[in-house]
Amino acid sequence: MQISPHFNKIVESLMVEGKFGVCNGITRVNDVKSGSSTLRKSPSGDRFKIYIPYAGQTITWEVILDNSCPEEPPDFIFEDSDFCPNVADIKSLVNWDIGDPHCLTKVIRELLEHYKTFHERLLEAHSRLQFEYSSLLDQTELSRDLIEVYSERTEKKIGPINFLIKLPVDFSDIPPYLTKDNPGENSAVLLILFPSPDSSRVTPQLYLSPRVEHAFGGSGNLRIPAFPSGGCLLDYVPDVYKLLQNKVEKTVQIYERRKELIAAFLSHFGRSVLEFDADGFFDISFLFEWNDFFFILYIELAPSFPQEAPVLTFQSIYHESKEKPYSEVHDKYPYSPRWSGPEMATRIKTYILDNIQAFQKQSVISGSL
Amino acid sequence: VSFRSRSGDKWTPMKLVRRALSFFLHSKQRLNRNHQFALVHLFDKASWVKDFTGNVRSIISALDDMSDTVELQSFNATSLFDLIHQCVPLPELEGDTTILPPPYIVRMLFIYGRSNGLIEFRNKESFRQLDSSPYFFFDAMYVHEPQSPENRCEEIFDRLCDLDEKGMSYIFEAARNPTRLYDQMAKLLAHPLQRPLQSEIAYRLHNIADLTDT
């Protein structure tokens, strides 16, 4: 069913601008129905469900408008029956103006604020959780807008309890991620699960935005420590934050070193280049000629570069060995990680010149024409 | 990269070309695992022998399976470009094309071995459509008899160069000299988006000591 034209603008605004909370996640709209019992030809959907990411969960609220009285403010059904904010407290609901395309977005935002407070208050009954939450706020740099809490409740017990924390890591120098799909803003979010208020089996999970993950070399590449038994968020969260900040700095540094070296090679040998990695600067290859003898040189940088020397591979274009072009790997040569990119390039060039003749001889002996 | 290959006369340099191509494929794959290759053969009509694959061995066996061809008077370039235009999708231009690299590019490596068969190119429509994309490249490797009044090598080579309308192509020739063929094929390994223009390429390594002396 389609939304009634009375409400198109406000629903569209919600879907486009409705990015709430720590994760800035998009709000989805689904399950559109009509409150009227008569069948109509024109779209008349005036009730629908919205799905909002919050604290690692997706909360579902039902919005109920009235197609026959579009100026009337909406009613809501919250899946959590204990959440019952006072309408008079929701200013944007009191001042509902259907002519304002953002009116629904404003109401949802305000309701979410109340919802957040509702969950914060739920912690007060449990001293350990309350301590975890308030100590994070009072004794770390984290502000309230970076933390979301959610408690799952049944008749008998409370749990699991989620703490979703956005870590204020500075990602500004992260290498670019060139892709046509907008990778979005950079962020690192920690989701911590308490199975019950006093449990010691606390499980943390780290979520990185695509560009950050790409810069770190993939999702598996950063391990966060397990939550120590008997530990608390006050110690744990800053530890993870420091770990991330260090990783960012390290990643940026080694990225710059790779880029510097590739640039140095290009400036020496740009007119002989075959291909190079223009994204992560992990490799570059050239075609060289020495006394009418042509050969290919591959230069590959490991993630541990500059600690580890670039790996050089000489490859023949005339001789084969075992059905593949004859090649030799050279990874142990005079090298220091302290050299600058230009100095490394110069020294590697010397090494290549010193070893071509031997490579040529060896390729003729070992290879077949 | 897709290949077009046309064998020469009776005592074919086909074996030579096959070997040079084999080196090319292995080397290209070593440069980047993501490259893919397709093979097109031209008889009286262009035909797709092997669709795009990263499996180098399968292309090489398809090459080995190709029989030597028959003499034909001229080569119909229109049918070739028609086939490619029909079968090979080019990436759309998306986003800021001065910054964003495309997901892939298409390079046509045309290997021609006729010393007497002129290239006939009546209808250039398909070629123009392909060439209008910044992500399409045409390269050529011309293997021929040594030039003499009896053959038309120079004329054929000129016609090949005419196809380089954008000035971005690499067009090489070799007169049945194996070493030269391997050298030229190696130069063709260079990635069209990263390589210098053909007029700018320089592969010679200088000894640093030599340079500082002079």
Side-chain angles (χ1 to χ4, degrees), chain A residues 131-176:
Chain A
F131 165 72
E132 295 282 15
Y133 180 68
S134 52
S135 61
L136 268 185
L137 272 185
D138 300 333
Q139 296 178 53
T140 67
E141 287 162 13
L142 294 170
S143 51
R144 186 170 166 264
D145 58 311
L146 295 177
I147 313 174
E148 280 170 2
V149 290
Y150 176 87
S151 304
E152 188 80 48
R153 283 138 21 250
T154 56
E155 273 204 27
K156 296 199 177 158
K157 62 180 178 101
I158 172 169
I161 303 107
N162 298 6
F163 277 66
L164 188 71
I165 303 158
K166 184 166 181 173
L167 299 169
V169 181
D170 179 8
F171 289 116
S172 48
D173 292 327
I174 286 273

Side-chain angles (χ1 to χ4, degrees), chain A residues 109-335:
Chain A
R109 183 168 282 126
E110 233 186 302
L111 279 171
L112 266 172
E113 259 306 306
H114 284 260
Y115 190 70
K116 185 169 170 173
T117 310
F118 166 72
H119 274 281
E120 283 164 2
R121 295 242 173 86
L122 284 175
L123 297 180
E124 284 164 14
H126 307 272
S127 56
R128 189 268 191 107
L129 293 174
Q130 177 57 25
F131 165 72
E132 295 282 15
Y133 180 68
S134 52
S135 61
L136 268 185
L137 272 185
D138 300 333
Q139 296 178 53
T140 67
E141 287 162 13
L142 294 170
S143 51
R144 186 170 166 264
D145 58 311
L146 295 177
I147 313 174
E148 280 170 2
V149 290
Y150 176 87
S151 304
E152 188 80 48
R153 283 138 21 250
T154 56
E155 273 204 27
K156 296 199 177 158
K157 62 180 178 101
I158 172 169
I161 303 107
N162 298 6
F163 277 66
L164 188 71
I165 303 158
K166 184 166 181 173
L167 299 169
V169 181
D170 179 8
F171 289 116
S172 48
D173 292 327
I174 286 273
Y177 183 16
L178 295 173
T179 162
K180 65 167 168 65
D181 307 311
N182 183 3
E185 60 159 64
N186 295 323
S187 65
V189 168
L190 197 55
L191 177 64
I192 305 189
L193 253 92
F194 293 82
S196 65
D198 297 304
S199 172
S200 57
R201 290 181 298 111
V202 179
T203 44
Q205 258 179 298
L206 182 67
Y207 295 94
L208 301 171
S209 60
R211 190 167 150 202
V212 175
E213 211 173 77
H214 182 75
F216 285 174
S219 58
N221 251 346
L222 181 68
R223 294 250 183 78
I224 52 171
F227 194 89
S229 103
C232 60
L233 293 178
L234 177 60
D235 296 324
Y236 183 74
V237 174
D239 282 349
V240 175
Y241 168 76
K242 274 187 211 119
L243 185 69
L244 265 178
Q245 196 66 66
N246 282 341
K247 176 93 180 169
V248 168
E249 277 160 23
K250 192 101 200 288
T251 302
V252 170
Q253 267 172 27
I254 60 181
Y255 168 83
E256 294 294 332
R257 292 292 301 267
R258 290 197 306 268
K259 196 168 170 187
E260 194 199 10
L261 181 60
I262 299 296
F265 277 121
L266 280 170
S267 102
H268 277 275
F269 303 124
R271 291 161 71 183
S272 323
V273 74
L274 292 179
E275 282 193 24
F276 67 96
D277 174 7
D279 177 32
F281 301 102
F282 282 103
D283 58 74
I284 187 164
S285 42
F286 299 101
L287 178 67
F288 290 134
E289 181 231 322
W290 180 78
N291 289 356
D292 290 330
F293 174 72
F294 279 81
F295 64 100
I296 298 173
L297 183 75
Y298 301 98
I299 303 171
E300 287 156 304
L301 308 177
S304 48
F305 171 84
Q307 268 317 107
E308 214 178 290
V311 176
L312 312 173
T313 306
F314 291 72
Q315 190 208 284
S316 170
I317 62 166
Y318 313 109
H319 296 92
E320 298 179 288
S321 170
K322 294 175 194 159
E323 291 181 8
K324 281 206 166 163
Y326 174 78
S327 62
E328 277 179 18
V329 175
H330 292 236
D331 52 2
K332 299 206 172 12
Y333 52 87
Y335 172 80

